Amino acid sequence: MFGVLVAGNAAAAALGSFANGGFEGYVGNTNSFNSAVPPGWTTTAGTPDVFSAGTTMNNFAWKASSTGGDFLHGIGWDGRPNAPYVESALQVGLTGLVIGQQYEVSFEQSISNSNFSEGGGYWEVVFGTESHNGALMSLPALGVIADWVWQTLIFTATSDIQTLEVIAHSNPATSSQRADLGIDSFFLGDPGTNPQNPPTNVPEPFTLALLGIGMVGLAASRRKTRTQ
């Protein structure tokens, strides 16, 4: 069974952000399996939920993501007996893309262990015709709160308007086990420009300039040594 969310008015989504990519604005009970979605999204199948750091029923335990507020809870259960249960979210009409240009899709992900959870899992991201997987998350101990971890995936646009889909999967090695996953804080833009998740170990332009000057000086020194 597939749970698909379609963003309303997603054609208005600006490059660099998603239409309500933080899943905010839900006013119902986030401490339940609410099978609900926040404003701007429509459930077309399945039973995804809007959860928050306050979701604790059935021994669920979550921390707030770096952007806080609500997030999407998806079940990954690829090898479920009799039928798979893999929930996904779809956003359509992301505009302003340049064909052949690379884009960053980044997000935060987490995993929780409840009375229903059985194993680890990961999020698959499909952007246009390209698909990449986030890191596989291991199941924490019951009641242990897993940290939210940023994932950065790079895609090449094949159209100026593309859809984006996120799909919850269980661990391929133990696909018959259910995984309860969280996802939040979507970003779409040029690689390395997410203000919430700046790249690490990338030299600043001034540092690169100094490095270049140093390399030129070293080369000149070596040439002078050889001529003496």
Side-chain angles (χ1 to χ4, degrees):
M1 180 182 299
F2 288 84
V4 182
L5 307 180
V6 181
N9 196 29
L15 183 61
S17 64
F18 292 88
N20 198 8
F23 298 101
E24 301 303 329
Y26 175 64
V27 296
N29 181 12
T30 59
N31 199 35
S32 69
F33 289 115
N34 47 60
S35 302
V37 291
W41 297 81
T42 301
T43 301
T44 59
T47 57
D49 310 289
V50 178
F51 279 0
S52 70
T55 301
T56 57
M57 84 290 185
N58 298 304
N59 281 317
F60 271 116
W62 302 92
K63 293 179 180 178
S65 69
S66 68
T67 56
D70 299 333
F71 60 89
L72 178 70
H73 163 252
I75 296 172
W77 204 350
D78 299 69
R80 181 189 185 190
N82 302 321
Y85 195 87
V86 181
E87 296 183 333
S88 63
L90 175 69
Q91 186 160 135
V92 300
L94 296 168
T95 63
L97 304 172
V98 177
I99 296 174
Q101 183 168 319
Q102 288 190 324
Y103 292 94
E104 171 184 336
V105 174
S106 50
F107 57 90
E108 292 182 274
Q109 66 175 18
S110 182
I111 185 171
S112 184
N113 187 349
S114 74
N115 293 345
F116 309 108
S117 305
E118 299 173 317
Y122 65 96
W123 289 97
E124 176 189 2
V125 176
V126 182
F127 188 41
T129 60
E130 195 174 354
S131 172
H132 295 300
N133 297 334
L136 177 66
M137 296 176 284
S138 299
L139 182 69
L142 184 65
V144 174
I145 304 173
D147 290 331
W148 287 86
V149 179
W150 277 102
Q151 302 293 295
T152 300
L153 307 175
I154 303 299
F155 294 82
T156 301
T158 56
S159 174
D160 58 355
I161 302 176
Q162 296 188 172
T163 62
L164 180 137
E165 185 178 20
V166 293
I167 307 169
H169 289 285
S170 53
N171 186 342
T174 54
S175 61
S176 62
Q177 295 180 341
R178 164 178 165 158
D180 286 278
L181 311 179
I183 191 166
D184 200 7
S185 315
F186 289 120
F187 172 85
L188 167 65
D190 294 327
T193 60
N194 184 350
Q196 297 291 336
N197 182 37
T200 57
N201 300 322
V202 176
E204 297 291 335
F206 179 70
T207 303
L208 290 173
L210 290 178
L211 179 61
I213 293 172
M215 294 299 292
V216 170
L218 179 60
S221 175
R222 287 179 175 175
R223 285 196 300 271
K224 182 176 179 181
T225 300
R226 287 197 298 268
T227 57
Q228 289 178 346

